[in-house]
């Protein structure tokens, strides 16, 4: 008899709850996950010492939003039960860098920031935009140009003019 499963979002993770199979002498439960469209990978093996009527696995291995599918099998003497399935959709939302600062040096500006305080595993790249202008009130994100895209949390921008400068750090997530 196959186990029964359900899933729910818990914070930045997905909890998979497994109701034990009615079959006796199960050797282990295998829990697999897949971000929809990709291959399934084993995320947990539940040994007999951890068996109970209801078991829980916390999945924090995914690093992209969207739908994740789960498959659970009860295994007895190498024979797999019928598969039990569930899926859960996780929305990443907007990611913001924290503690951004700009240090003005003689001929450069050093921009640094920290990863988001939560959901940092979903950061794909940081994009740094820059705008300079003769008047501070004219500095605008709409006029800024992309000067860096990558995974570093700092960037040095050489500057050789006496204009006002403003920087924006935005995050692209998967």
């Amino acid at each position: 008899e196959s186990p029964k499963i359900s899933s729910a979002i818990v914070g930045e993770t997905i909890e998979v709850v497994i109701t034990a199979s009615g079959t006796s002498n199960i050797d282990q439960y295998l829990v697999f996950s897949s971000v929809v469209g990709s291959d399934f990978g084993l995320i947990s093996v539940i040994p007999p010492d951890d068996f109970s009527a209801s078991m829980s696995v916390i999945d924090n291995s995914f690093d992209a939003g969207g739908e994740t599918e789960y498959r659970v099998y009860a295994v007895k003497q190498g024979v797999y039960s019928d598969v039990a399935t569930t899926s859960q959709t996780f929305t990443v939302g907007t990611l913001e860098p924290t503690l951004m600062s700009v240090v003005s040096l003689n001929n450069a500006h050093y921009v640094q920031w920290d990863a988001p305080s939560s959901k940092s595993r979903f950061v794909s790249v940081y994009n740094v935009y820059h705008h300079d202008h003769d008047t501070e009130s004219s500095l605008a994100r709409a006029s800024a140009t992309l000067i860096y895209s990558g995974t570093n949390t700092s960037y040095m921008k050489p500057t050789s003019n006496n204009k006002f400068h403003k920087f924006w750090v935005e995050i692209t997530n998967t």
Side-chain angles (χ1 to χ4, degrees):
E1 180 183 332
S2 63
K4 309 282 186 273
I5 64 172
S6 63
S7 59
I9 294 172
V10 177
E12 297 172 22
T13 66
I14 297 174
E15 178 184 33
V16 179
V17 177
I18 303 151
T19 302
S21 166
T23 304
S24 60
N25 300 317
I26 297 293
D27 296 320
Q28 61 189 351
Y29 289 91
L30 302 178
V31 183
F32 295 84
S33 75
S34 168
V35 173
V36 171
S38 65
D39 294 336
F40 277 86
L42 182 65
I43 62 166
S44 185
V45 175
I46 303 173
D49 288 351
D50 294 337
F51 288 179
S52 65
S54 180
M55 299 160 278
S56 179
V57 171
I58 299 296
D59 180 10
N60 63 357
S61 64
F62 59 98
D63 59 4
E67 188 178 9
T68 300
E69 295 177 307
Y70 296 93
R71 293 181 179 173
V72 175
Y73 299 91
V75 181
K76 179 178 179 177
Q77 297 177 339
V79 177
Y80 284 52
S81 68
D82 288 340
V83 66
T85 62
T86 187
S87 65
Q88 189 67 50
T89 299
F90 185 87
T91 303
V92 175
T94 302
L95 299 176
E96 296 288 339
T98 56
L99 301 174
M100 181 183 160
S101 66
V102 178
V103 178
S104 296
L105 306 170
N106 254 354
N107 293 312
H109 284 85
Y110 182 64
V111 183
Q112 57 191 357
W113 59 92
D114 289 340
S117 56
S118 68
K119 300 183 185 175
S120 62
R121 75 176 186 271
F122 297 102
V123 173
S124 178
V125 295
Y126 296 101
N127 297 304
V128 178
Y129 295 86
H130 171 253
H131 184 219
D132 62 2
H133 199 273
D134 291 327
T135 57
E136 187 172 13
S137 62
S138 296
L139 294 172
R141 169 62 183 89
S143 301
T145 56
L146 179 66
I147 58 172
Y148 171 77
S149 185
T151 56
N152 292 335
T153 55
S154 65
Y155 181 77
M156 181 79 73
K157 166 72 173 150
T159 52
S160 59
N161 59 40
N162 290 324
K163 295 183 178 189
F164 291 94
H165 298 269
K166 189 165 181 178
F167 297 87
W168 292 263
V169 177
E170 297 172 2
I171 296 173
T172 301
N173 56 309
T174 52

